[in-house]
Amino acid sequence: MSIGSRIKGLLGAGAAPAHQRLALDGLENVLTGLGTDRDPTRHTRIRLPTAAVLGRNELQIMYRSSVYVRRIVDAPCRWAVRRGWDVEIEGVDADQIRALHDQADRLGVRQKLAQADIWAGLYRGGAVVLGARDAAVTSLAEPLDPARVVGLDWARTYDGYQIVPVEWQGDPARPDYGDATMYDLREAGVRGGYTGPVHASRVLPFWGVPLPDNLKAETEGWGDSRVQVAFDAVCQMEEAERLSQRAMYRVGLVVFKLALLELMEREGDAKAAKRLSLLMRSVGGINGLILDAGPGDGVPGESAEFPPVDLRGIEGVMRHFAQKLAASANMPLTLLYGQAPAGLSTDDASGRIYWYDHIEAWQLERYERNVATVYRYLAAAAGIKDADPRVRFVPLLTPSEGDEAATQLARAQAAEKWIQWGVRASEQIAEDVFGEAPAFGPLPAAGEEG
């Protein structure tokens, strides 16, 4: 039997508890669990060449196991619907608009649009299929005429693998040239249901990252997953975290110098196993260490050392990978990590302003048309025909009460100076600056009695 086999058998390979398992190479540490089945840095990892297209299984594993992937995919979609929207329809009063909002809330439009957009970010595409009742057509494969809609009963969300565009508008003279005209619903979901063709008039699509035409066949026309773009940065960030954790584990690393082979040859395997068992129990049980360095067993000179570990420079390396990940995700660090990393401003104000601008563009590009379609059908079902809804998203960057008060104070101070200098009259100030007529009439001029 080889020496390695004898050492493995000292504590009974496969039978000893985890804290007594013996590591034979330097990449494992039985005390901290590093490299063993107790290693907290071990988790599901995807290893693919950079140019490889991530498939459905790889994407869903990463979404479930990586906090970075989940935040990159979810954040812009959640923010896009965070404050909702206002809708205006010519000739429709506020009470009717409020009733349409109530219907949209009943259908869960906000949540389902965001979920379809999340699936687009993860699975290359996503869509909401509308269960609109047409006075003349009942089949989902037939085009929906808004003028004949008499009800909107349900809305269901599907990812880009469940529903796929299969027909496209090919007439370059039409304004909708290049748009999908028919979809194929392939998976009805866990509850079952309809599968088959669905006309584009009943579908609210969310497309993936745009691709050149010659690459669209790889994603069945949807586009790319946002995870594909950030894949390398995510892997590098998680690898950097794993290596930094390994470096920190080395702070508590103990190097034992035992004359184990000599003891095995002199006294046999049983005594060596007993010695190792005592050592493991002393370290794991009382967080201490017992070593017998006396001549009683003929093995003098045993020792335990704590090698010094230099952690300088780790912070800078981690910041580099964090910034790369934030750039690939097109997100400020404060949103990607939940707090401002060291070395950045405490509030990252410029990053947040950029993020708000990014989300506003996101809303216009990906949500405005779909929201207008929903309200057009809702309005038709309520008897409002030929509606042309105008959607305005509630701004994300809204001033606080303190900001409003400070603005009002600054305007009042400026107005006071204008009156003192004779630049403008008090009634002009009230109407132009504050948007209202003066409550007590014009202020008296200097030297006049009130």
Side-chain angles (χ1 to χ4, degrees), residues 24-242:
L24 293 181
D25 79 54
L27 297 180
E28 294 189 358
N29 186 284
V30 294
L31 302 183
T32 65
L34 180 64
T36 70
D37 54 3
R38 296 187 293 115
D39 189 344
T41 67
R42 286 191 172 186
H43 53 83
T44 302
R45 293 184 175 275
I46 308 297
R47 286 290 179 263
L48 292 174
T50 302
V53 177
L54 297 172
R56 190 178 190 177
N57 290 336
E58 290 85 4
L59 290 170
Q60 64 189 18
I61 288 173
M62 294 182 71
Y63 186 72
R64 297 181 67 180
S65 63
S66 171
V67 63
Y68 298 123
V69 169
R70 184 175 289 268
R71 187 162 293 182
I72 289 169
V73 170
D74 288 5
C77 313
R78 301 295 186 195
W79 277 80
V81 300
R82 187 174 188 177
R83 295 188 178 273
W85 50 74
D86 294 324
V87 174
E88 295 180 1
I89 301 176
E90 186 175 354
V92 178
D93 59 32
D95 290 338
Q96 291 174 299
I97 294 294
R98 192 175 301 111
L100 298 181
H101 285 320
D102 291 341
Q103 288 293 320
D105 291 341
R106 179 183 62 83
L107 293 170
V109 170
R110 185 189 302 191
Q111 296 82 359
K112 290 176 181 178
L113 288 176
Q115 190 60 62
D117 198 11
I118 288 173
W119 293 149
L122 179 63
Y123 291 126
R124 70 197 184 167
V128 177
V129 176
L130 299 175
R133 282 184 286 118
D134 190 316
V137 177
T138 58
S139 172
L140 290 178
E142 297 296 327
L144 188 64
D145 184 354
R148 298 198 306 260
V149 172
V150 295
L152 185 55
D153 300 327
W154 50 264
R156 298 188 184 122
T157 303
Y158 300 96
D159 65 55
Y161 287 93
Q162 294 174 303
I163 188 169
V164 176
V166 291
E167 294 182 14
W168 307 83
Q169 177 55 252
D171 184 357
R174 293 176 57 98
D176 58 348
Y177 171 68
D179 290 350
T181 58
M182 188 68 72
Y183 293 81
D184 184 23
L185 184 56
R186 299 175 177 177
E187 300 178 23
V190 294
R191 301 179 185 87
Y194 173 82
T195 57
V198 181
H199 193 269
S201 59
R202 303 172 184 269
V203 177
L204 307 177
F206 287 88
W207 304 92
V209 179
L211 288 173
D213 289 343
N214 64 310
L215 296 179
K216 287 184 178 179
E218 296 180 2
T219 60
E220 297 185 280
W222 276 120
D224 232 347
S225 166
R226 289 201 297 276
V227 180
Q228 186 78 47
V229 178
F231 174 72
D232 280 347
V234 170
C235 290
Q236 290 172 4
M237 186 67 209
E238 292 187 345
E239 186 70 12
E241 288 180 344
R242 188 178 69 85

